[in-house]
Amino acid sequence: MIVEPKVKGFICTTAHPEGCKESVRRQIAYCKEKGMTEGPKKVLVIGASTGYGLASRIAVTYGYGADTIGVSFEKEATGKRTATAGWYNTKAFEQFATEDGYYAKSFNGDGFSREMKQQVIETIKKDWGKADMVVYSMAAPRRTLADGTMVSSVLKTVGTEFTNKTIDLRNNEITEVTVPVATEEEIRKTVQVMGGEDWEEWIREMVKADVLSDHAITIAYSYIGPSVTHAIYKDGSIGQAKKHLYDTSVKLTKEFADRDIKAYISVNKALVTQSSAAIPIVPLYISLLYKIMKEEGLHEGCIEQMQRLFTDKLVKKEVDEAGYFRLDDWELQDKVQDKINAVWDKVTTENIGEYGDIDGYWDDFYKMFGFHYDNVDYSADVEI
């Protein structure tokens, strides 16, 4: 079948198998070029199929020589509907990693569930004995709790509503958006979905089953961002969940100090991901950020960020005073943020191409789903 992109708002409902494979191949090539360093050799990645999770899996495989188990929740192809990008990414990664001599096993299902945890733990026990690193990169809008209750996260502010510029991804128009205030109940549920509860459950279950080694490292991902996005992100409902995530890292490190198991948070850069595309204000900020960081020679994508995290920051244990790894260090430089602040009020629908890298934004968006690769023949029939 000939596969073309079908975009609805901030989602592409199709994915190209050959394009996704090319995306994975390029990320692997980047890490191979950067070379190896010493690091963990048995790594579990929870949320391993796209974005930072996929890049993490690639970075530890080709940066440490690690064997990996990946957990993700993706859909297979059915009839004329393609599989999700994450499905194709995972298949491609498994193929490349296996060809290069690495163990790469993937589980497709609900990473929040106790059943998935037990399945993964049994596999670690049988195939590895123990894991020495756990990367937690779950990005889901909802979670089914142990009692069967489903809770959903919200993208809202805390305290007072917030109005600012955004970009309507359906037509690239600059408009205003007012983000409403989250209720206490909505905040609580957002924390349950996006906070540290499930991460903590994974680590506890693994320790209890004795499949996590002494001196193991576990790391989860967060974002803080600049002041222009704080109301919707850092100080909003998501931000409350990210604070809980941080508190969980402190709690885990303290609780398992006798085994020297350390839990970290890496604060990453704003990038085009399936999650960030859904957040009001953020896509406009990213398009301005891309232009400036590219002009300054500072731009990184997911794989550049994760390669730098695992083979540089983590190896050196280079954390800030709060214990965060700061992969947003280049993004938040004064020379970058000052330029964004200088143009924020000037940006309109007519001049977004001058002040922002909207083409770069959309190029990254399409590449998430396997499109826009110059060496892939999109007019060819492909097996989905």
Side-chain angles (χ1 to χ4, degrees), residues 40 131-133 212-218 256-262 264 317:
D132 51 8
M133 180 186 273
L212 193 60
S213 65
D214 290 350
H215 318 296
I217 291 166
T218 182
F256 298 114
D258 59 326
R259 295 189 50 185
D260 192 35
I261 294 170
K262 288 189 167 64
Y264 294 101
K317 299 291 189 288

Side-chain angles (χ1 to χ4, degrees), residues 49-62:
S49 56
T50 60
Y52 278 123
L54 173 65
S56 300
R57 195 174 188 189
I58 293 168
V60 297
T61 301
Y62 293 94

Side-chain angles (χ1 to χ4, degrees), residues 80-297:
K80 291 185 177 180
R81 181 180 285 274
T82 69
T84 52
W87 176 271
Y88 294 132
N89 291 340
T90 300
K91 292 299 176 190
F93 171 79
E94 284 181 340
Q95 181 190 329
F96 289 128
T98 304
E99 285 171 359
D100 288 334
Y102 297 109
Y103 172 108
K105 188 168 277 190
S106 305
F107 290 89
N108 191 52
D110 182 5
F112 290 125
S113 72
R114 183 171 176 78
E115 293 74 23
M116 179 59 76
K117 292 177 177 70
Q118 292 310 310
Q119 211 178 337
V120 170
I121 284 168
E122 287 307 314
T123 301
I124 293 172
K125 206 176 277 186
K126 182 168 72 72
D127 292 0
W128 291 352
K130 296 186 180 186
D132 51 8
M133 180 186 273
V134 179
V135 175
Y136 190 83
S137 184
M138 287 271 269
R142 62 193 65 85
R143 171 187 173 197
T144 302
L145 304 177
D147 64 2
T149 307
M150 183 179 281
V151 289
S152 296
S153 61
V154 296
L155 297 164
K156 293 186 178 181
T157 64
V158 172
T160 56
E161 65 179 29
F162 179 67
T163 301
N164 208 324
K165 287 183 173 180
T166 192
I167 188 163
D168 186 337
L169 293 174
R170 293 169 299 184
N171 50 25
N172 289 351
E173 278 189 16
I174 307 300
T175 60
E176 268 200 350
V177 63
T178 296
V179 184
V181 179
T183 64
E184 287 299 319
E185 179 72 358
E186 286 174 325
I187 293 168
R188 185 180 65 79
K189 289 179 177 178
T190 301
V191 169
Q192 285 181 300
V193 178
M194 302 180 72
E197 266 186 23
D198 184 62
W199 182 28
E200 183 178 340
E201 280 181 25
W202 271 99
I203 300 305
R204 286 192 185 288
E205 291 291 329
M206 291 178 74
V207 169
K208 184 178 164 187
D210 198 26
V211 296
L212 193 60
S213 65
D214 290 350
H215 318 296
I217 291 166
T218 182
I219 189 162
Y221 298 139
S222 190
Y223 181 67
I224 293 173
S227 56
V228 72
T229 65
H230 280 181
I232 182 63
Y233 207 102
K234 177 175 176 280
D235 300 327
S237 54
I238 305 177
Q240 305 313 302
K242 296 303 184 183
K243 285 170 190 167
H244 186 273
L245 193 71
Y246 172 76
D247 291 342
T248 303
S249 73
V250 174
K251 180 181 177 183
L252 290 171
T253 298
K254 191 174 179 181
E255 187 166 335
F256 298 114
D258 59 326
R259 295 189 50 185
D260 192 35
I261 294 170
K262 288 189 167 64
Y264 294 101
I265 302 291
S266 176
V267 181
N268 300 336
K269 174 195 173 189
L271 283 172
V272 180
T273 64
Q274 291 184 46
S275 304
S276 70
I279 305 171
I281 302 162
V282 170
L284 176 58
Y285 167 74
I286 289 174
S287 70
L288 302 180
L289 179 73
Y290 269 31
K291 184 174 179 75
I292 290 158
M293 290 193 79
K294 286 175 181 178
E295 287 172 354
E296 295 287 345

